[in-house]
Amino acid sequence: MPVKRRTKLKTRMILTLGLVSVLQTVFIGVFAGYYLSESLYNEIGQRALMVAKTIAASPAVIRGIQQRNLDDLNTLTHTLAQTNEALFIVIGDHDAIRLAHPLPERIGRSMADDEGDYGRRALVEGKGYVARALGNLGESMRGKAPVFEPDSGAIIGIVSVGYSVSQVETTVQRYNFVLYGVLGVVLLISILAAVVIASRFKRAIFGLEPEEIAGLFQERNATLQSVREGIIAINRDGIITTVNRAALLTLGLDTEMPVLGRPIHEILPESGLMSVLATGTPEFDREVWLRNRQMVVNRLPMRQGTDIIGVVSSFRLRNELDQVSQQLTRIQQYADTLRSQTHEYSNKLHTIAGLIQLGAYKDALGLIGSEVSSHQALIHLLLEAVPDPIIAGCLLGKHNRAREMGLHLDIDPDSQMTDLPHNLPREQLVSVLGNLIDNALEATRRHTGANGRVQLSMTDLGQELIFEVEDQGPGIPLDVQNRMFEKGVTSKTGTHHGFGLHLVRQFLDSWGGSVTVENLKAAGGSRFTLYLPKTPTGRSQPCPPSDC
C-alpha cells in the first residue's frame, strides 16, 4: 500500500496564510463596499434634506407659496436645482398640490401620484425627513421639509429635493474601483509576505518538517532520560528549561518536584550556571560541591550567533568516577601481576628444564628451593604484616613487577598494617599505594638501570596509617614538588601521564590525609610519606559498608 506523502510545511503555510489573506480581503471588501454605499446614500439623503430645509426657509419661497406665484417659484427652483446639482426641486402647497416642478404638465397635480406618502410627515407632523422613492424622473433620494408661515407658524407648503440614485451608484462604483484596487494590492502583498514568512520560518527550524521535529523532540527526551549523568539547562533569564531524572536523583531532589520553569537559584543556588551565563566561559571537569555532594561538573554556554542564550550543565557524583578509575586500576594491576609472573616463571621454568637436560639436578633443585624459599618468605611477611588480602595482593604484584623490570622492591620486615579502619576504601588505597610504587620503580629504573631498589615501610601504630616509599631516582626539583599533584603535571614523556598523583591528592582530600615529599641527600632519590588518619576528616567521607 503506497504511503501518502504529506504536504510540506512551507506549502501548507503559504496556502494557509494565503487563504486567510483572501478571506480577510473578501470580507473587508464586502463590508467596506456595503458600508461605503450606505454611507454615500445616507450622505446624499442628508444633503437633499439640508437643501430642502434651506429652500423652505427662503422668504421668496414662502412669499411665492402664499401668493401662489407659480412662475417665480418654477424659475427659482430651476435655478436652485442647477446650483445644487439636484435631479429636481418640487414645491407644493399645504394640500400637496405642486406649485413648482421640472415637468410643467405635473404642475397643479397632487404629489401623491408618484409618492406613496406625498410628504405626509412634513405636511402633518411638520418634520423633515429623507426617503428613497421611484417617481416620474426616476428613482431618487429625497429630502422633504415643511414650509412654515413666519407669523403664525402654520404649515403652508412642502419642499422636496431629489438626487438621482444613478448618480449615487456612479459615485459608489468609482469609490469601489479604488477600494478594490487597493485591496487587490494588499492581497498580493499578503501572499508575498506569506511566502517570505514561510521561507524564513522553514530556515529557522533548519528545514525540518513538524513530524520530524516531533520525532527529534521525542528522541531528545528519551536521550536525556537515558543518560546517567545529570543534565540541567537554563535560558538567558536563569529559568530552568531542561532537566532529566538523573539530575534530580543525583542532587537528592524529589523526582516529582516541578522544576521546569523555575529560577535556577531557587532549586540550586550554588550551581554556578549564572556566572557562566554572565562570562560565557565554559568549564570542564570542575570538582564542586552541590547540595553537600562532591561532583564533577561541566558547564557550557549556549550561543545563538554572538549572543549567549543559556547554559547547559552535566554533572556526576565524583564517587562514580572514582569507582570507574579504581576498577580500571585494579584490572590493570591484576593484568600486570599476571603478566610479570608469567614472564618470570616462564624464564625460570626454561632454566630449570635446561639444567635437568644437562644433568645438573642439584643446581635445578637449588634453584627451585631458592625460588620457593624467597617466595614463601615474602608471602609469610605479607600474611603477618598485612592480613588484608587486597593490599597484600597489590604488594605481591608490585614485587613481581619490580623483578620483571630488573629491580628490587624491599618491604621492611618490621612493617605492620593490621589495624585498618573497616570503612577505608581498599580499592582507593590500593590505587594510591600502587601509583606511588609505580612512580618509584620508573624513577629508579631511569636513573640506576638494573638492580635498583625501592623500599617500602608501613606502620599502623598511633592514630595514623603511615606508608613510606623510597626510590633511587634523580630526586624531584622543588618547583616540581609544588605542583606535582596537579592534574596533567608529569616528568614523563608522551601522553596519558600526569593523573596518578592527582588521584592520590583527590583521595587524600576526601579522607583527610596528607603526603610529604623529600629528596634523600645521602643515598639520592626521594621519599614519599603518606599519612592517613584512622578516622576520616575530609569533606567527602565514604560510608561504612553496613550503611551503604
Side-chain angles (χ1 to χ4, degrees):
M1 182 177 179
V3 179
K4 183 179 179 180
R5 297 190 63 181
R6 294 179 178 268
T7 307
K8 291 187 176 296
L9 175 63
K10 182 177 179 180
T11 305
R12 278 183 279 172
M13 290 187 64
I14 293 175
L15 291 176
T16 302
L17 294 176
L19 180 60
V20 171
S21 299
V22 170
L23 293 176
Q24 287 179 339
T25 303
V26 171
F27 175 77
I28 293 174
V30 171
F31 175 79
Y34 173 79
Y35 183 77
L36 176 62
S37 177
E38 291 298 317
S39 297
L40 286 175
Y41 278 115
N42 182 65
E43 181 182 350
I44 294 298
Q46 293 299 320
R47 179 180 177 183
L49 179 61
M50 292 300 296
V51 172
K53 287 182 177 181
T54 301
I55 294 174
S58 171
V61 172
I62 296 173
R63 185 170 55 255
I65 293 175
Q66 289 174 336
Q67 298 175 2
R68 300 188 72 82
N69 190 342
L70 303 183
D71 293 336
D72 290 345
L73 288 176
N74 279 279
T75 302
L76 179 61
T77 55
H78 179 71
T79 302
L80 291 175
Q82 290 181 338
T83 302
N84 291 277
E85 299 180 347
L87 176 63
F88 63 81
I89 296 177
V90 176
I91 298 176
D93 60 12
H94 65 280
D95 294 323
I97 301 300
R98 297 188 183 96
L99 302 178
H101 193 280
L103 300 177
E105 65 272 14
R106 296 290 179 180
I107 298 175
R109 298 174 63 178
S110 175
M111 297 175 67
D113 59 356
D114 63 353
E115 297 185 33
D117 64 354
Y118 62 83
R120 178 178 178 280
R121 293 177 60 187
L123 291 172
V124 176
E125 300 176 12
K127 297 179 180 179
Y129 65 96
V130 176
R132 181 172 178 173
L134 178 62
N136 294 298
L137 298 177
E139 189 176 11
S140 61
M141 293 295 298
R142 305 175 180 189
K144 298 179 183 295
V147 180
F148 296 97
E149 203 278 326
D151 297 328
S152 63
I155 299 174
I156 61 174
I158 183 175
V159 176
S160 177
V161 178
Y163 285 89
S164 174
V165 170
S166 62
Q167 291 178 308
V168 180
E169 290 177 347
T170 301
T171 304
V172 170
Q173 290 176 357
R174 184 173 66 252
Y175 286 170
N176 284 342
F177 178 78
V178 177
L179 173 64
Y180 292 141
V182 172
L183 290 178
V185 174
V186 172
L187 176 60
L188 180 61
I189 294 175
S190 299
I191 294 176
L192 293 177
V195 175
V196 173
I197 292 173
S199 300
R200 291 193 174 184
F201 183 80
K202 197 66 183 294
R203 285 198 301 269
I205 60 176
F206 304 101
L208 298 174
E209 295 296 317
E211 296 77 12
E212 295 173 329
I213 295 175
L216 290 175
F217 180 76
Q218 292 175 345
E219 290 180 11
R220 171 254 195 193
N221 286 340
T223 301
L224 280 177
Q225 300 306 326
S226 64
V227 173
R228 293 188 60 188
E229 285 195 353
I231 297 177
I232 290 182
I234 62 172
N235 60 16
R236 68 181 71 203
D237 299 320
I239 304 300
I240 298 176
T241 58
T242 300
V243 62
N244 64 349
R245 181 180 177 85
L248 300 177
L249 293 175
T250 303
L251 295 172
L253 298 173
D254 184 2
T255 55
E256 302 300 327
M257 175 187 296
V259 174
L260 294 179
R262 297 178 61 182
I264 186 64
H265 64 79
E266 291 184 3
I267 305 300
L268 202 61
E270 69 274 29
S271 67
L273 296 181
M274 296 305 295
S275 62
V276 176
L277 185 65
T279 62
T281 303
E283 299 177 351
F284 300 100
D285 297 330
R286 289 290 184 92
E287 294 185 10
V288 300
W289 285 83
L290 298 176
R291 294 179 60 85
N292 297 322
R293 301 182 180 193
Q294 193 170 14
M295 302 185 187
V296 177
V297 178
N298 295 290
R299 305 185 183 105
L300 189 66
M302 296 182 291
R303 299 180 183 273
Q304 189 174 56
T306 57
D307 297 332
I308 300 176
I309 61 174
V311 179
V312 61
S313 174
S314 63
F315 50 91
R316 179 191 288 267
L317 289 172
R318 201 191 72 169
N319 291 343
E320 295 183 12
L321 298 177
D322 290 342
Q323 290 174 3
V324 173
S325 175
Q326 293 156 11
Q327 290 174 358
L328 292 176
T329 301
R330 289 183 61 185
I331 292 173
Q332 182 179 1
Q333 290 174 347
Y334 294 154
D336 291 342
T337 300
L338 292 174
R339 182 169 55 83
S340 62
Q341 288 181 342
T342 299
H343 181 72
E344 180 182 1
Y345 283 106
S346 177
N347 291 335
K348 292 185 181 297
L349 288 175
H350 290 160
T351 302
I352 293 173
L355 290 174
I356 293 175
Q357 289 177 356
L358 294 174
Y361 303 114
K362 291 184 178 181
D363 293 334
L365 290 174
L367 180 58
I368 293 173
S370 173
E371 180 62 27
V372 171
S373 175
S374 173
H375 199 68
Q376 288 297 326
L378 175 61
I379 292 177
H380 180 73
L381 171 62
L382 292 177
L383 289 176
E384 291 291 334
V386 189
D388 188 277
I390 295 179
I391 299 177
C394 172
L395 297 179
L396 181 60
K398 295 304 178 184
H399 183 272
N400 293 329
R401 173 64 176 162
R403 294 182 62 178
E404 183 188 31
M405 296 171 64
L407 304 175
H408 300 278
L409 175 59
D410 298 332
I411 300 177
D412 189 345
D414 295 328
S415 294
Q416 179 176 329
M417 191 58 59
T418 59
D419 189 16
L420 288 172
H422 68 280
N423 59 340
L424 177 66
R426 303 301 196 268
E427 293 83 0
Q428 292 189 20
L429 179 59
V430 165
S431 176
V432 169
L433 192 58
N435 276 314
L436 293 180
I437 295 175
D438 285 340
N439 288 342
L441 292 174
E442 286 291 337
T444 301
R445 184 176 66 174
R446 289 201 310 268
H447 188 64
T448 64
N451 296 321
R453 292 186 175 277
V454 172
Q455 296 183 0
L456 170 66
S457 64
M458 304 170 288
T459 180
D460 58 1
L461 299 178
Q463 299 301 315
E464 292 181 317
L465 308 178
I466 302 175
F467 299 86
E468 286 188 356
V469 180
E470 296 183 6
D471 61 53
Q472 293 181 341
I476 302 174
L478 292 179
D479 60 332
V480 177
Q481 291 183 23
N482 295 330
R483 57 188 185 90
M484 63 188 304
F485 292 97
E486 297 177 7
K487 188 175 182 179
V489 176
T490 180
S491 60
K492 302 174 185 178
T493 59
T495 59
H496 306 295
H497 297 297
F499 298 96
L501 292 180
H502 177 67
L503 292 175
V504 172
R505 171 59 64 190
Q506 286 184 325
F507 171 68
L508 293 178
D509 289 343
S510 66
W511 189 261
S514 62
V515 62
T516 62
V517 183
E518 57 181 323
N519 291 326
L520 304 176
K521 297 181 179 179
S526 58
R527 177 191 295 125
F528 284 75
T529 305
L530 191 67
Y531 300 92
L532 293 175
K534 294 182 179 180
T535 301
T537 60
R539 292 184 300 176
S540 176
Q541 301 171 8
C543 60
S546 60
D547 298 334
C548 292

